Short mmCIF file of all heavy atoms in Angstrom, two decimals:
data_model
loop_
_atom_site.label_atom_id
_atom_site.label_comp_id
_atom_site.label_asym_id
_atom_site.label_seq_id
_atom_site.Cartn_x
_atom_site.Cartn_y
_atom_site.Cartn_z
N GLU A 14 89.77 87.59 89.71
CA GLU A 14 91.01 87.44 88.95
C GLU A 14 91.09 88.37 87.73
O GLU A 14 92.15 88.91 87.42
CB GLU A 14 91.20 85.99 88.52
CG GLU A 14 92.58 85.68 87.99
CD GLU A 14 92.80 84.19 87.76
OE1 GLU A 14 91.92 83.38 88.17
OE2 GLU A 14 93.81 83.85 87.16
N PRO A 15 89.96 88.61 87.00
CA PRO A 15 90.05 89.49 85.82
C PRO A 15 90.20 90.97 86.17
O PRO A 15 90.38 91.79 85.27
CB PRO A 15 88.71 89.26 85.10
CG PRO A 15 88.07 88.09 85.74
CD PRO A 15 88.62 88.02 87.12
N VAL A 16 90.10 91.33 87.45
CA VAL A 16 90.06 92.74 87.84
C VAL A 16 91.39 93.15 88.48
O VAL A 16 91.85 92.53 89.43
CB VAL A 16 88.91 93.01 88.84
CG1 VAL A 16 88.79 94.51 89.11
CG2 VAL A 16 87.60 92.45 88.31
N GLU A 17 91.99 94.23 87.96
CA GLU A 17 93.23 94.75 88.53
C GLU A 17 92.94 95.55 89.80
O GLU A 17 91.86 96.11 89.95
CB GLU A 17 93.94 95.67 87.52
CG GLU A 17 94.36 94.98 86.25
CD GLU A 17 94.99 95.96 85.28
OE1 GLU A 17 95.31 97.09 85.70
OE2 GLU A 17 95.14 95.61 84.09
N PRO A 18 93.92 95.61 90.73
CA PRO A 18 93.74 96.46 91.92
C PRO A 18 93.45 97.90 91.53
O PRO A 18 94.05 98.44 90.59
CB PRO A 18 95.09 96.34 92.63
CG PRO A 18 95.65 95.02 92.18
CD PRO A 18 95.18 94.86 90.77
N GLY A 19 92.51 98.52 92.22
CA GLY A 19 92.13 99.89 91.91
C GLY A 19 91.14 100.02 90.77
O GLY A 19 90.85 101.14 90.33
N LYS A 20 90.58 98.89 90.31
CA LYS A 20 89.66 98.91 89.17
C LYS A 20 88.29 98.36 89.57
O LYS A 20 88.17 97.53 90.48
CB LYS A 20 90.19 98.08 88.01
CG LYS A 20 91.56 98.53 87.48
CD LYS A 20 91.48 99.90 86.82
CE LYS A 20 92.82 100.30 86.21
NZ LYS A 20 92.78 101.64 85.62
N VAL A 21 87.25 98.83 88.87
CA VAL A 21 85.89 98.31 89.03
C VAL A 21 85.43 97.84 87.65
O VAL A 21 85.30 98.64 86.72
CB VAL A 21 84.93 99.39 89.57
CG1 VAL A 21 83.52 98.81 89.70
CG2 VAL A 21 85.41 99.91 90.92
N LEU A 22 85.20 96.53 87.52
CA LEU A 22 84.76 95.96 86.25
C LEU A 22 83.26 95.72 86.30
O LEU A 22 82.76 95.07 87.23
CB LEU A 22 85.49 94.64 85.97
CG LEU A 22 85.10 93.89 84.69
CD1 LEU A 22 85.35 94.75 83.44
CD2 LEU A 22 85.85 92.57 84.60
N PHE A 23 82.54 96.26 85.31
CA PHE A 23 81.08 96.15 85.26
C PHE A 23 80.69 95.29 84.06
O PHE A 23 81.07 95.57 82.93
CB PHE A 23 80.46 97.55 85.13
CG PHE A 23 78.95 97.56 85.12
CD1 PHE A 23 78.23 97.26 86.25
CD2 PHE A 23 78.25 97.88 83.96
CE1 PHE A 23 76.84 97.28 86.25
CE2 PHE A 23 76.87 97.89 83.94
CZ PHE A 23 76.16 97.59 85.09
N LEU A 24 79.95 94.22 84.32
CA LEU A 24 79.44 93.33 83.27
C LEU A 24 77.94 93.51 83.18
O LEU A 24 77.22 93.24 84.14
CB LEU A 24 79.77 91.87 83.57
CG LEU A 24 81.24 91.51 83.80
CD1 LEU A 24 81.37 90.02 84.13
CD2 LEU A 24 82.08 91.86 82.59
N HIS A 25 77.45 93.97 82.03
CA HIS A 25 76.02 94.20 81.83
C HIS A 25 75.50 93.15 80.84
O HIS A 25 75.86 93.16 79.68
CB HIS A 25 75.77 95.60 81.29
CG HIS A 25 74.32 95.99 81.31
ND1 HIS A 25 73.89 97.29 81.40
CD2 HIS A 25 73.17 95.24 81.29
CE1 HIS A 25 72.56 97.33 81.40
NE2 HIS A 25 72.12 96.09 81.33
N HIS A 26 74.66 92.24 81.33
CA HIS A 26 74.15 91.15 80.50
C HIS A 26 72.95 91.62 79.69
O HIS A 26 71.98 92.15 80.24
CB HIS A 26 73.76 89.95 81.36
CG HIS A 26 74.94 89.23 81.93
ND1 HIS A 26 75.50 88.14 81.34
CD2 HIS A 26 75.69 89.49 83.05
CE1 HIS A 26 76.53 87.72 82.05
NE2 HIS A 26 76.66 88.53 83.09
N ASP A 27 73.02 91.42 78.40
CA ASP A 27 71.93 91.76 77.49
C ASP A 27 70.86 90.67 77.58
O ASP A 27 71.15 89.50 77.28
CB ASP A 27 72.45 91.87 76.05
CG ASP A 27 71.40 92.39 75.08
OD1 ASP A 27 70.23 91.97 75.19
OD2 ASP A 27 71.75 93.19 74.21
N PRO A 28 69.62 91.01 77.97
CA PRO A 28 68.59 89.98 78.13
C PRO A 28 68.18 89.33 76.81
O PRO A 28 67.60 88.24 76.82
CB PRO A 28 67.42 90.75 78.75
CG PRO A 28 67.63 92.17 78.36
CD PRO A 28 69.12 92.36 78.29
N HIS A 29 68.48 89.97 75.70
CA HIS A 29 68.07 89.43 74.40
C HIS A 29 69.14 88.54 73.78
O HIS A 29 68.87 87.41 73.38
CB HIS A 29 67.71 90.57 73.45
CG HIS A 29 66.66 91.49 73.98
ND1 HIS A 29 65.36 91.07 74.21
CD2 HIS A 29 66.73 92.79 74.38
CE1 HIS A 29 64.66 92.08 74.71
NE2 HIS A 29 65.46 93.13 74.82
N SER A 30 70.37 89.03 73.73
CA SER A 30 71.44 88.26 73.09
C SER A 30 72.12 87.28 74.04
O SER A 30 72.71 86.30 73.61
CB SER A 30 72.50 89.21 72.51
OG SER A 30 73.19 89.87 73.57
N GLY A 31 72.03 87.57 75.35
CA GLY A 31 72.70 86.71 76.32
C GLY A 31 74.16 87.07 76.52
O GLY A 31 74.83 86.51 77.39
N SER A 32 74.68 88.00 75.71
CA SER A 32 76.08 88.39 75.84
C SER A 32 76.21 89.46 76.93
O SER A 32 75.23 90.08 77.33
CB SER A 32 76.61 88.93 74.52
OG SER A 32 75.87 90.08 74.13
N ALA A 33 77.46 89.68 77.38
CA ALA A 33 77.71 90.65 78.43
C ALA A 33 78.65 91.74 77.92
O ALA A 33 79.70 91.45 77.36
CB ALA A 33 78.32 89.98 79.65
N LYS A 34 78.25 92.98 78.13
CA LYS A 34 79.09 94.12 77.77
C LYS A 34 80.00 94.45 78.95
O LYS A 34 79.54 94.59 80.08
CB LYS A 34 78.22 95.33 77.43
CG LYS A 34 79.01 96.57 77.09
CD LYS A 34 78.05 97.75 76.85
CE LYS A 34 78.84 99.03 76.61
NZ LYS A 34 77.93 100.21 76.44
N LYS A 35 81.32 94.57 78.68
CA LYS A 35 82.28 94.87 79.73
C LYS A 35 82.61 96.36 79.74
O LYS A 35 82.77 96.97 78.70
CB LYS A 35 83.58 94.08 79.52
CG LYS A 35 83.43 92.59 79.68
CD LYS A 35 84.78 91.90 79.55
CE LYS A 35 84.64 90.39 79.71
NZ LYS A 35 85.96 89.72 79.61
N GLU A 36 82.72 96.92 80.95
CA GLU A 36 83.05 98.33 81.08
C GLU A 36 83.87 98.54 82.35
O GLU A 36 83.52 98.01 83.41
CB GLU A 36 81.76 99.16 81.15
CG GLU A 36 82.00 100.65 81.24
CD GLU A 36 80.70 101.44 81.36
OE1 GLU A 36 79.62 100.81 81.37
OE2 GLU A 36 80.77 102.68 81.46
N LEU A 37 84.99 99.29 82.24
CA LEU A 37 85.77 99.65 83.41
C LEU A 37 85.24 100.97 83.94
O LEU A 37 85.21 101.97 83.22
CB LEU A 37 87.25 99.78 83.06
CG LEU A 37 88.06 98.49 83.02
CD1 LEU A 37 89.50 98.79 82.59
CD2 LEU A 37 88.07 97.80 84.38
N LEU A 38 84.80 100.98 85.19
CA LEU A 38 84.24 102.18 85.78
C LEU A 38 85.31 102.97 86.53
O LEU A 38 86.21 102.39 87.14
CB LEU A 38 83.10 101.82 86.75
CG LEU A 38 81.95 100.99 86.16
CD1 LEU A 38 80.91 100.72 87.23
CD2 LEU A 38 81.32 101.71 84.98
N ALA A 39 85.20 104.29 86.45
CA ALA A 39 86.17 105.16 87.13
C ALA A 39 85.59 105.66 88.45
O ALA A 39 84.50 106.22 88.48
CB ALA A 39 86.52 106.35 86.23
N PHE A 40 86.32 105.43 89.54
CA PHE A 40 85.93 105.92 90.85
C PHE A 40 87.08 106.73 91.43
O PHE A 40 88.25 106.39 91.21
CB PHE A 40 85.60 104.75 91.80
CG PHE A 40 84.30 104.08 91.50
CD1 PHE A 40 84.20 103.11 90.53
CD2 PHE A 40 83.16 104.45 92.19
CE1 PHE A 40 82.99 102.50 90.26
CE2 PHE A 40 81.94 103.83 91.92
CZ PHE A 40 81.86 102.86 90.95
N PRO A 41 86.78 107.79 92.18
CA PRO A 41 87.85 108.60 92.77
C PRO A 41 88.61 107.82 93.84
O PRO A 41 88.00 107.26 94.75
CB PRO A 41 87.11 109.80 93.37
CG PRO A 41 85.71 109.34 93.57
CD PRO A 41 85.43 108.34 92.49
N ASP A 42 89.92 107.76 93.69
CA ASP A 42 90.82 107.18 94.69
C ASP A 42 90.36 105.81 95.21
O ASP A 42 90.09 105.65 96.41
CB ASP A 42 90.97 108.15 95.87
CG ASP A 42 92.07 107.71 96.84
OD1 ASP A 42 93.00 107.05 96.38
OD2 ASP A 42 91.96 108.01 98.03
N PRO A 43 90.25 104.80 94.32
CA PRO A 43 89.83 103.48 94.79
C PRO A 43 90.91 102.73 95.55
O PRO A 43 90.64 101.68 96.13
CB PRO A 43 89.49 102.76 93.48
CG PRO A 43 90.37 103.41 92.46
CD PRO A 43 90.52 104.84 92.89
N GLY A 44 92.16 103.26 95.55
CA GLY A 44 93.24 102.55 96.22
C GLY A 44 93.49 101.20 95.57
O GLY A 44 93.50 101.09 94.35
N ASN A 45 93.65 100.16 96.39
CA ASN A 45 93.86 98.81 95.86
C ASN A 45 92.58 97.99 95.83
O ASN A 45 92.61 96.78 95.59
CB ASN A 45 94.92 98.07 96.69
CG ASN A 45 96.31 98.63 96.45
OD1 ASN A 45 96.64 98.99 95.32
ND2 ASN A 45 97.10 98.73 97.50
N THR A 46 91.44 98.63 96.09
CA THR A 46 90.17 97.92 96.10
C THR A 46 89.88 97.36 94.71
O THR A 46 90.07 98.03 93.69
CB THR A 46 89.03 98.85 96.54
OG1 THR A 46 89.29 99.29 97.87
CG2 THR A 46 87.68 98.14 96.51
N ARG A 47 89.42 96.13 94.66
CA ARG A 47 89.04 95.48 93.39
C ARG A 47 87.56 95.10 93.49
O ARG A 47 87.14 94.46 94.45
CB ARG A 47 89.88 94.23 93.15
CG ARG A 47 91.37 94.50 93.06
CD ARG A 47 92.19 93.26 93.37
NE ARG A 47 91.96 92.21 92.39
CZ ARG A 47 92.40 90.96 92.55
NH1 ARG A 47 93.05 90.61 93.65
NH2 ARG A 47 92.17 90.06 91.63
N VAL A 48 86.78 95.47 92.47
CA VAL A 48 85.34 95.23 92.49
C VAL A 48 84.90 94.66 91.16
O VAL A 48 85.31 95.13 90.09
CB VAL A 48 84.55 96.53 92.77
CG1 VAL A 48 83.05 96.25 92.78
CG2 VAL A 48 84.98 97.14 94.11
N LEU A 49 84.05 93.64 91.21
CA LEU A 49 83.40 93.10 90.03
C LEU A 49 81.89 93.23 90.23
O LEU A 49 81.36 92.78 91.25
CB LEU A 49 83.77 91.63 89.81
CG LEU A 49 83.06 90.90 88.66
CD1 LEU A 49 83.37 91.55 87.32
CD2 LEU A 49 83.43 89.42 88.65
N LEU A 50 81.21 93.87 89.27
CA LEU A 50 79.76 94.01 89.29
C LEU A 50 79.19 93.30 88.08
O LEU A 50 79.65 93.49 86.96
CB LEU A 50 79.37 95.49 89.25
CG LEU A 50 79.96 96.41 90.32
CD1 LEU A 50 79.62 97.86 90.03
CD2 LEU A 50 79.46 96.01 91.70
N GLU A 51 78.17 92.46 88.31
CA GLU A 51 77.53 91.73 87.21
C GLU A 51 76.03 92.02 87.25
O GLU A 51 75.35 91.67 88.22
CB GLU A 51 77.77 90.23 87.37
CG GLU A 51 77.26 89.41 86.19
CD GLU A 51 77.57 87.93 86.33
OE1 GLU A 51 77.74 87.45 87.48
OE2 GLU A 51 77.63 87.24 85.30
N HIS A 52 75.52 92.70 86.21
CA HIS A 52 74.14 93.18 86.23
C HIS A 52 73.28 92.43 85.21
O HIS A 52 73.70 92.16 84.09
CB HIS A 52 74.11 94.68 85.90
CG HIS A 52 72.72 95.25 85.89
ND1 HIS A 52 72.06 95.61 87.06
CD2 HIS A 52 71.85 95.48 84.87
CE1 HIS A 52 70.85 96.06 86.74
NE2 HIS A 52 70.70 96.00 85.43
N PHE A 53 72.02 92.14 85.64
CA PHE A 53 71.03 91.50 84.77
C PHE A 53 69.75 92.34 84.78
O PHE A 53 69.25 92.68 85.86
CB PHE A 53 70.69 90.10 85.28
CG PHE A 53 71.82 89.11 85.25
CD1 PHE A 53 72.76 89.09 86.27
CD2 PHE A 53 71.95 88.21 84.20
CE1 PHE A 53 73.81 88.20 86.25
CE2 PHE A 53 73.00 87.31 84.18
CZ PHE A 53 73.93 87.29 85.20
N ASP A 54 69.23 92.69 83.62
CA ASP A 54 67.89 93.27 83.51
C ASP A 54 66.92 92.10 83.39
O ASP A 54 67.00 91.31 82.45
CB ASP A 54 67.80 94.17 82.27
CG ASP A 54 68.63 95.42 82.43
OD1 ASP A 54 68.52 96.07 83.47
OD2 ASP A 54 69.39 95.75 81.50
N LEU A 55 65.99 91.99 84.35
CA LEU A 55 65.13 90.81 84.42
C LEU A 55 63.75 91.06 83.84
O LEU A 55 63.25 90.30 83.02
CB LEU A 55 65.02 90.34 85.87
CG LEU A 55 66.36 89.99 86.54
CD1 LEU A 55 66.13 89.61 87.99
CD2 LEU A 55 67.04 88.85 85.78
N TYR A 56 63.09 92.11 84.33
CA TYR A 56 61.78 92.52 83.85
C TYR A 56 61.83 94.04 83.65
O TYR A 56 62.74 94.69 84.17
CB TYR A 56 60.68 92.22 84.88
CG TYR A 56 60.40 90.77 85.14
CD1 TYR A 56 60.84 90.15 86.31
CD2 TYR A 56 59.67 90.01 84.22
CE1 TYR A 56 60.57 88.82 86.55
CE2 TYR A 56 59.40 88.67 84.46
CZ TYR A 56 59.84 88.09 85.63
OH TYR A 56 59.57 86.77 85.86
N PRO A 57 60.89 94.61 82.93
CA PRO A 57 60.81 96.08 82.92
C PRO A 57 60.72 96.60 84.36
O PRO A 57 59.84 96.20 85.12
CB PRO A 57 59.53 96.36 82.13
CG PRO A 57 59.38 95.17 81.24
CD PRO A 57 59.87 94.00 82.05
N GLY A 58 61.67 97.43 84.75
CA GLY A 58 61.65 98.01 86.09
C GLY A 58 62.35 97.19 87.15
O GLY A 58 62.43 97.62 88.30
N ILE A 59 62.87 96.01 86.80
CA ILE A 59 63.56 95.17 87.79
C ILE A 59 64.94 94.77 87.26
O ILE A 59 65.05 94.18 86.19
CB ILE A 59 62.77 93.89 88.13
CG1 ILE A 59 61.36 94.23 88.64
CG2 ILE A 59 63.51 93.07 89.18
CD1 ILE A 59 60.53 93.01 88.96
N GLY A 60 65.97 95.10 88.02
CA GLY A 60 67.34 94.69 87.69
C GLY A 60 68.03 94.17 88.93
O GLY A 60 67.67 94.51 90.06
#
Side-chain angles (χ1 to χ4, degrees):
E14 192 172 351
V16 186
E17 297 177 14
K20 301 293 185 183
V21 179
L22 178 60
F23 182 70
L24 304 179
H25 191 153
H26 288 265
D27 187 318
H29 304 295
S30 68
S32 61
K34 178 183 176 183
K35 294 184 180 181
E36 182 182 0
L37 277 177
L38 303 180
F40 286 84
D42 189 28
N45 289 322
T46 298
R47 300 158 64 190
V48 180
L49 175 61
L50 305 173
E51 186 177 25
H52 180 81
F53 295 82
D54 291 312
L55 301 177
Y56 293 105
I59 303 179

